[in-house]
Amino acid sequence: MAEYDPGSLRAAALRGTLWSAVQQIGNKGLLLPLYLVLARLLPVESFGLVALAAAYIDFVMLFLHQGLTAAIVQREDLEREHLDSAFWGNIGFALLLAGFGVASAETFARLAGRPELASIVRWLSIAFLLSGLISVQDAILRRGLRFKALAIRAVVGQATAGTIGIVLAFSGYGVWSLVAMQLINQALGCVLLWRASDWRPRMRFSFRRYLELLAFGVNILGLNLIRFARVRADNFLIGFALGTIPLGYYTIARQLTNGLSVLVTGSIAPVLWSTLPRLQRQPERMARAIYQGAEMLALMTWPAYFGLAAVAALMVPLFLGDEWLPSIPILVAFSLAAATHSITGLNFSALLAIGETGWRVRIEILSTVVSLLAMIVALPGGIVAVAWAYAGALYLLLPVQVGLAVRLLPIELRPYLRRYRIPAGGSVLMLAAVLIARPWAVAGLAAPAALATLILLGAFVFAGFVWLTAPDLARRAAGNLRLALSRGGEDDTREIESLTS
């Protein structure tokens, strides 16, 4: 992988962050208003059924890519044959897994005790074919920091699919409106990504090149399997043990939190993953990038997470209706737990960038075991206890994850932790101010006005704290935003063009 001028790479990364944010708005941010509308139109159980079926499809989907997408982004000496081999390998696996999904649908539905799941799983199996068609195109665009194309695909696909899903829900199609929304989004994404990329596969397949990618990708596959067990096994656990109605409450709370989490954290993490491999031989620059990324991630995410926890009791009945009141404590637990994502997400991206997949796998195994044990122990207490057990496990594991990052990455503990002081102080102060003001706002204002007032109060308290205690940080954040918005080609890194000629 070629060396890059620090200024141009920083500008490209910041512009990539901006477009990555737009992409996350499309992928997850638009899901927030869509789910707010759909929650008014569909019964709770519909969300639980689709969540259970989608968890099964997503688990099988892990075997499709085999970590090859990450290998394409990370590999320094990437050749055209690598791309051709990865593409045809994915197509072959996509056909096999689509057949497996259709064949196993009845068995999965019988195990879950919900016969209607079988037809849902069969239709969602189409996603294997669509995903196989775009995985290499997606990796090429990420490697070139071409997040604008990914953003357009995400926004157009999600907006179109969401609109159709709402129309179907209004027309009485029930759970099938959610199924159609997922498939339409993926189909449109496939068309848009192929239009955005100039690369086209040749009818060539090299086992040697495929195995070179697989040598790195197999660790990613193992990592993704373990991570899936940690972040998605709860759907199986709740769906099988507690039922699809509790899973519906759980799913909506998680979608709202994930929408916020991916919108912010997910805007920066993909860019870091595409940028940090270019700094593998420059530890000082990598350390600065990690320190600054940690500070900016916390500055962007923590006030949003803590703020969501503070206003959840107002937001849920206002936007979702009283039917969804049981999801409030679950939403609070997930919001507070999400504050850990900005720390672990950045560190894990950096570990992958330097090729430390082995340690990443070990920490994911530990996280999976601790999280699942905590949730299993909490099952007798119901869905709320499960959510709080999950949140507690994340905080319990945080010191171990930070210690591993300090050991393996070119960073030091004290300078690293200092980057979190201002975001943490401002977020805690903001949370306290909103909680203190909430009873007066609720008593004296209509629900929409009370919610808007508390959000504005929280934003004012946090921004004021940052400006008064760390004006340099505030100016630096504003400068990064200006650079991200500055004009200039988004593709400052064009080594991929040699592969498409």
Side-chain angles (χ1 to χ4, degrees):
M1 192 174 293
E3 298 289 340
Y4 297 95
D5 173 70
S8 66
L9 183 56
R10 177 170 174 262
L14 288 170
R15 281 193 291 273
T17 299
L18 177 65
W19 284 113
S20 183
V22 176
Q23 179 191 1
Q24 298 308 326
I25 290 173
N27 280 335
K28 297 295 183 180
L30 287 179
L31 284 178
L32 294 178
L34 288 176
Y35 270 91
L36 292 178
V37 175
L38 290 168
R40 293 279 190 174
L41 300 173
L42 301 174
V44 175
E45 191 173 24
S46 294
F47 293 91
L49 285 170
V50 173
L52 194 54
Y56 179 63
I57 292 296
D58 288 346
F59 171 73
V60 181
M61 186 77 75
L62 294 175
F63 296 92
L64 170 59
H65 303 305
Q66 308 156 76
L68 299 183
T69 300
I72 290 171
V73 175
Q74 191 268 351
R75 188 176 181 86
E76 287 193 84
D77 54 335
L78 187 68
E79 298 181 10
R80 177 72 185 259
E81 282 189 345
H82 287 115
L83 302 179
D84 295 331
S85 303
F87 177 83
W88 293 114
N90 279 339
I91 291 298
F93 272 96
L95 292 171
L96 289 174
L97 294 179
F100 174 80
V102 171
S104 64
E106 200 72 43
T107 301
F108 177 73
R110 188 165 51 251
L111 290 173
R114 300 305 301 261
E116 61 269 44
L117 276 174
S119 54
I120 296 175
V121 170
R122 290 193 191 100
W123 276 100
L124 287 179
S125 295
I126 297 172
F128 294 118
L129 302 177
L130 297 172
S131 184
L133 286 169
I134 64 172
S135 57
V136 174
Q137 301 284 17
D138 183 273
I140 289 173
L141 294 172
R142 291 182 187 278
R143 181 180 173 90
L145 297 179
R146 297 178 58 189
F147 288 92
K148 181 178 179 180
L150 296 172
I152 292 172
R153 170 244 180 162
V155 172
V156 173
Q158 195 65 270
T160 304
T163 301
I164 295 174
I166 290 173
V167 170
L168 291 174
F170 265 117
S171 302
Y173 283 88
V175 68
W176 293 105
S177 58
L178 297 174
V179 175
M181 191 170 72
Q182 292 193 27
L183 293 177
I184 292 169
N185 183 22
Q186 288 197 313
L188 283 174
C190 183
V191 173
L192 292 171
L193 277 193
W194 276 78
R195 286 174 60 91
S197 173
D198 295 330
W199 178 81
R200 295 293 182 267
R202 300 173 299 178
M203 295 298 296
R204 297 183 183 180
F205 182 85
S206 167
F207 277 105
R208 182 167 67 89
R209 298 304 188 193
Y210 185 81
L211 292 176
E212 286 175 355
L213 292 175
L214 196 62
F216 179 86
V218 70
N219 289 321
I220 301 297
L221 172 61
L223 174 62
N224 288 339
L225 286 169
I226 297 165
R227 189 180 182 191
F228 181 92
R230 180 170 63 84
V231 302
R232 298 295 298 277
D234 50 357
N235 284 354
F236 295 115
L237 191 66
I238 295 166
F240 280 73
L242 300 179
T244 52
I245 291 179
L247 180 57
Y249 292 124
Y250 190 88
T251 299
I252 282 292
R254 191 156 205 173
Q255 285 290 354
L256 293 175
T257 311
N258 284 353
L260 182 61
S261 176
V262 176
L263 176 62
V264 183
T265 306
S267 302
I268 295 179
V271 182
L272 285 171
W273 166 232
S274 299
T275 303
L276 289 177
R278 307 170 191 277
L279 307 177
Q280 293 179 70
R281 300 176 185 176
Q282 304 173 64
E284 292 184 1
R285 285 187 63 198
M286 177 174 281
R288 287 198 301 272
I290 293 171
Y291 290 146
Q292 293 173 9
E295 191 170 50
M296 289 300 160
L297 268 173
L299 195 67
M300 295 169 64
T301 60
W302 288 3
Y305 298 143
F306 281 76
L308 181 59
V311 302
L314 279 173
M315 190 184 75
V316 169
L318 178 62
F319 290 112
L320 300 179
D322 292 342
E323 180 186 10
W324 293 93
L325 289 177
S327 66
I328 291 175
I330 306 171
L331 180 58
V332 173
F334 282 157
S335 300
L336 297 178
T340 66
H341 295 168
S342 61
I343 300 175
T344 57
L346 171 66
N347 293 341
F348 285 168
S349 292
L351 288 174
L352 287 180
I354 63 174
E356 288 287 353
T357 54
W359 277 106
R360 172 79 188 267
V361 169
R362 293 184 186 98
I363 198 65
E364 285 287 3
I365 292 175
L366 176 63
S367 299
T368 300
V369 171
V370 172
S371 297
L372 286 179
L373 284 177
M375 288 188 287
I376 291 171
V377 169
L379 270 177
I383 191 65
V384 174
V386 171
W388 280 105
Y390 173 78
L394 292 185
Y395 277 98
L396 181 66
L397 291 162
L398 195 57
V400 178
Q401 294 167 336
V402 170
L404 179 66
V406 171
R407 175 183 173 184
L408 298 177
L409 297 171
I411 59 175
E412 298 179 5
L413 181 61
R414 288 186 178 180
Y416 176 74
L417 293 180
R418 278 200 298 269
R419 298 288 183 160
Y420 292 111
R421 291 182 304 173
I422 300 302
S427 298
V428 171
L429 183 62
M430 177 209 68
L431 177 63
V434 172
L435 291 178
I436 291 172
R438 191 171 69 182
W440 283 275
V442 172
L445 299 170
L451 180 60
T453 300
L454 293 174
I455 291 173
L456 290 174
L457 172 64
F460 177 80
V461 170
F462 182 81
F465 177 85
V466 174
W467 182 259
L468 291 174
T469 57
D472 289 343
L473 175 59
R475 285 191 289 268
R476 199 159 62 247
N480 284 340
L481 179 60
R482 285 194 299 270
L483 183 55
L485 293 170
S486 65
R487 298 185 64 182
E490 71 171 313
D491 305 328
D492 292 272
T493 56
R494 292 185 175 274
E495 81 283 2
I496 197 66
E497 290 184 354
S498 63
L499 301 176
T500 62
S501 58

